[in-house]
Amino acid sequence: MKQKALPPHDNVAWKGYTIDEIRYQRALTMARMEIERERLFASAGNIYKGIEQQSSSGIMGRLLSGLNYVDYVMLAFKLGRSLFNIFGRFRRR
């Protein structure tokens, strides 16, 4: 069975990374971060477009389009409080 190679910093005889190796690893990490950032923005844009299309159709879309963020917060608070009360009643029994 083949053993996994240990990272260089786990080797006792390892002297450290050279400045060029550090720069290469940093550039590689920055490139990976940029690629993931672009993927995230693309998927978020697709989700937003899907929500936008769904919310504009039907009676619920018309009702929800007239609400602002404060209204959403209040609705979520009231819904959460009522759900908490319902589940609290079941726990007491």
Side-chain angles (χ1 to χ4, degrees):
M1 192 169 169
K2 199 175 193 181
Q3 284 187 334
K4 281 177 93 174
L6 293 175
H9 55 274
D10 287 345
N11 189 351
V12 177
W14 186 61
K15 300 287 186 193
Y17 288 115
T18 64
I19 192 72
D20 290 332
E21 289 172 330
I22 293 172
R23 287 180 181 151
Y24 175 78
Q25 290 296 326
R26 186 174 181 192
L28 185 63
T29 303
M30 293 296 285
R32 286 180 182 158
M33 287 174 52
E34 188 65 30
I35 290 168
E36 288 301 318
R37 185 179 296 127
E38 289 299 320
R39 274 191 205 158
L40 179 67
F41 285 142
S43 65
N46 291 338
I47 291 171
Y48 181 73
K49 287 177 186 174
I51 290 172
E52 194 174 70
Q53 290 171 354
Q54 288 176 356
S55 67
S56 62
S57 62
I59 193 163
M60 283 303 289
R62 290 187 196 132
L63 287 174
L64 294 176
S65 66
L67 301 176
N68 60 16
Y69 291 114
V70 175
D71 295 328
Y72 286 120
V73 169
M74 291 301 296
L75 284 172
F77 177 74
K78 288 181 181 180
L79 180 67
R81 188 172 54 179
S82 61
L83 287 174
F84 183 74
N85 287 337
I86 290 170
F87 287 119
R89 288 181 190 152
F90 285 122
R91 267 193 247 157
R92 290 181 200 138
R93 289 184 182 180

